[in-house]
Amino acid sequence: MSWRFRNSWHASVCARNLSRHSSSQAQPSAALHFYQNRQLELYAAKEANRLSLRQLVFFGRSMDEEKLIKSANYVRTELPVRIAHRLRDLQALPYVVVTQEGVAQVYELYWSAFEKFRRYPQVTTLEENEAFCEFLESILDEHAPVIPSLSLGLSLSSPHLPPDSLDGFMRRMLVSRISRRVLAEHHLALSKSLGTNSLSLPEDPHVGIIYTALNLKHSIDKCVALLHGRSYDMEDEIGESMPNRGWPEVIVDGHIDTKFSYIREHLEYIIFELLKNAITATGLNHRSSSSIPPIRATIVAGENDVGVRISDQGGGLSSARIKSPSDLFSFSHIRNATRMDDTRLGALRSASSRGVKATVAEQIRPLRTEQSNVNSNNKDPEREAGIAPHPRIGLGLPMSNIFTTYFGGTLELVSLDGWGTDVYVRLPKLGTNLEGIEL
Ligand code: COI
């Protein structure tokens, strides 16, 4: 997109938004837009400074005041670069897409966050870091509706974008969002642990948001227990009461003592979504049988990675509307016809507006409640991952795929149509992979 066009495009989106906010005020001048876009260009020209899990752990160990201030300034200067890349991506969308409900809202949020970070003064003391942490928390809250809003906007735009462009754009937006939230949450958790002098508990050691001896079986058991508590979502889907007919048992086998270093909220989001799908499909497929077959979660600890296979007898994935299991990751209606379903669009609209209106108490923010997190076992993985839970919004699988691949893992679905599905998750366990490149 040319300079001149990008500038007038930005001016028209901003003018539209300005007139929405204040009908009596003058429109911003072209000079202001030119200046703002020049700033954006300067930041967008910088490369993201990608980190590995291991770097995050090493830096966060034995925290002191000097390191914490360094961490604050890294977040302060790195986030506007990553946001600038995404603003450029949004500006490159066709006008008909960016004016869709949801996409324009995200553009405004990102533009405002970019300006706030760019102007934020250097952090030099612990008191200033406290104020910076409050600022970070407020932005994290403000951005709560980003995923349903984007997903809604892109679903409505699906007819205007080729599937590869749409999926590529969504992937970059989502990977980059995860990365920004990881940096912000890690810094908040490090600040909290230094501020309260709280050490991580020996039975659940962690550095910031990274748990250094994460027990995979414990996480699976926790997700099963949480899903039992959230049975209404699945009953809604199945159309009858699961507990009356019995729940499919989840058998965990393989290397059940496996522990590794990972971001717990990411791991548990993935496991929770995959088990939710497996339980729902099994319930549906066996709705008229007298017994329900179990789901098997097999853990394998390899030399470089940790694997989990989740096998169900839910009948498999392919249907007249989904040709290949990998199409379930797609946001395009051409690959995944369910993307334009009215019930899904309605659910996305409500998740998107609920996100905007949600009170602070409603938004459980990961690791800002770090200590209680360690002690409690009943937090909801969807909320913890910064995604408001909502049945039928169809984001569980694509988001699990993005969480899995963020540090170089893989997620594969193998459907044995007419019988069931095997899902293979592989997560690197050495922590040496850098974050995904789309930052
Ligand atoms: C997001 O949640 O979309 C963000 O970009 C948050 C980040 C600015 C802290």
Side-chain angles (χ1 to χ4, degrees):
M1 191 189 291
S2 75
W3 260 110
R4 182 185 288 236
F5 181 62
R6 193 179 287 148
N7 208 34
S8 62
W9 179 99
H10 171 71
S12 76
V13 171
C14 286
R16 191 170 52 79
N17 297 332
L18 247 196
S19 62
R20 203 193 299 156
H21 295 310
S22 74
S23 51
S24 61
Q25 277 170 22
Q27 309 257 305
S29 70
L32 174 63
H33 291 304
F34 184 82
Y35 172 75
Q36 287 176 327
N37 263 312
R38 180 81 193 116
Q39 289 301 321
L40 181 66
E41 201 64 27
L42 290 174
Y43 277 83
K46 296 182 194 171
E47 281 212 5
N49 182 7
R50 294 154 62 209
L51 297 176
S52 68
L53 210 67
R54 192 174 274 198
Q55 283 170 316
L56 288 169
V57 171
F58 277 5
F59 183 81
R61 277 217 167 104
S62 51
M63 243 314 127
D64 58 24
E65 178 172 345
E66 193 188 331
K67 280 173 96 182
L68 193 62
I69 299 220
K70 212 166 163 193
S71 162
N73 286 308
Y74 167 71
V75 172
R76 182 182 66 83
T77 51
E78 180 66 13
L79 290 191
V81 173
R82 295 185 184 201
I83 297 173
H85 293 160
R86 301 293 67 85
L87 279 166
R88 285 284 300 275
D89 246 357
L90 280 157
Q91 291 185 334
L93 289 173
Y95 190 72
V96 60
V97 176
V98 86
T99 47
Q100 286 290 350
E101 187 183 343
V103 184
Q105 183 195 352
V106 171
Y107 182 75
E108 279 179 62
L109 277 175
Y110 281 10
W111 191 267
S112 145
F114 170 70
E115 285 290 314
K116 287 179 188 163
F117 274 107
R118 180 172 78 76
R119 291 161 194 272
Y120 204 97
Q122 194 174 357
V123 177
T124 58
T125 63
L126 282 183
E127 291 69 45
E128 286 174 11
N129 183 52
E130 253 178 59
F132 181 64
C133 288
E134 276 171 29
F135 162 74
L136 278 182
E137 293 195 353
S138 70
I139 300 241
L140 285 164
D141 288 339
E142 238 172 75
H143 285 227
V146 159
I147 292 185
S149 298
L150 257 188
S151 187
L152 172 65
L154 267 288
S155 292
L156 295 172
S157 311
S158 189
H160 307 291
L161 283 172
D164 280 347
S165 314
L166 194 159
D167 284 332
F169 169 81
M170 263 316 252
R171 184 174 169 82
R172 291 191 297 280
M173 293 299 281
L174 296 173
V175 170
S176 175
R177 180 182 194 257
I178 292 176
S179 82
R180 295 189 304 269
R181 291 184 85 92
V182 162
L183 297 187
E185 301 283 5
H186 194 57
H187 179 69
L188 288 172
L190 293 176
S191 302
K192 189 164 182 178
S193 57
L194 188 73
T196 56
N197 259 342
S198 65
L199 295 171
S200 73
L201 302 177
E203 66 274 21
D204 207 359
H206 58 102
V207 176
I209 60 167
I210 298 146
Y211 284 73
T212 50
L214 196 49
N215 183 313
L216 200 39
K217 181 174 183 312
H218 287 178
S219 288
I220 295 175
D221 291 343
K222 173 180 162 186
C223 291
V224 172
L226 283 166
L227 282 163
H228 285 189
R230 286 253 318 257
S231 58
Y232 54 88
D233 280 1
M234 290 170 285
E235 284 164 15
D236 200 25
E237 199 81 28
I238 293 166
E240 59 185 275
S241 164
M242 294 277 283
N244 292 343
R245 305 172 52 243
W247 281 82
E249 187 191 356
V250 178
I251 300 169
V252 186
D253 60 10
H255 301 151
I256 53 172
D257 294 324
T258 301
K259 289 182 181 170
F260 71 126
S261 268
Y262 215 70
I263 300 176
R264 184 160 75 182
E265 71 192 53
H266 289 190
L267 173 75
E268 292 180 355
Y269 180 91
I270 299 163
I271 300 289
F272 183 87
E273 294 300 330
L274 297 179
L275 284 175
K276 185 165 74 176
N277 287 345
I279 293 174
T280 310
T282 308
L284 264 174
N285 198 36
H286 294 272
R287 67 207 310 177
S288 44
S289 341
S290 54
S291 64
I292 300 192
I295 289 159
R296 191 173 288 276
T298 307
I299 300 171
V300 182
E303 203 177 312
N304 297 321
D305 48 43
V306 165
V308 191
R309 179 188 59 201
I310 297 180
S311 300
D312 67 51
Q313 292 178 37
L317 294 167
S318 301
S319 71
R321 308 185 75 203
I322 308 280
K323 297 284 173 287
S324 134
S326 63
D327 287 348
L328 287 163
F329 301 146
S330 177
F331 288 89
S332 165
H333 77 292
I334 296 173
R335 290 186 176 144
N336 181 346
T338 65
R339 292 290 166 212
M340 298 284 262
D341 283 354
D342 284 346
T343 44
R344 177 173 178 271
L345 295 178
L348 278 173
R349 267 193 194 100
S350 105
S352 159
S353 59
R354 224 176 35 170
V356 178
K357 289 179 199 131
T359 62
V360 171
E362 238 184 303
Q363 300 290 322
I364 297 177
R365 294 144 304 173
L367 298 149
R368 266 168 282 165
T369 47
E370 192 180 11
Q371 283 314 308
S372 57
N373 223 0
V374 170
N375 300 325
S376 118
N377 215 23
N378 60 0
K379 294 270 164 60
D380 188 319
E382 287 173 318
R383 281 191 192 280
E384 295 234 336
I387 302 162
H390 201 295
R392 298 199 179 151
I393 73 180
L395 289 175
L397 265 182
M399 283 311 298
S400 299
N401 184 37
I402 288 183
F403 277 122
T404 310
T405 49
Y406 174 51
F407 277 122
T410 55
L411 194 164
E412 254 180 281
L413 303 168
V414 179
S415 171
L416 209 54
D417 294 336
W419 181 261
T421 305
D422 282 0
V423 185
Y424 296 85
V425 174
R426 186 190 63 77
L427 296 171
K429 72 173 192 190
L430 304 178
T432 47
N433 291 358
L434 290 175
E435 302 170 271
I437 49 170
E438 297 117 331
L439 308 177

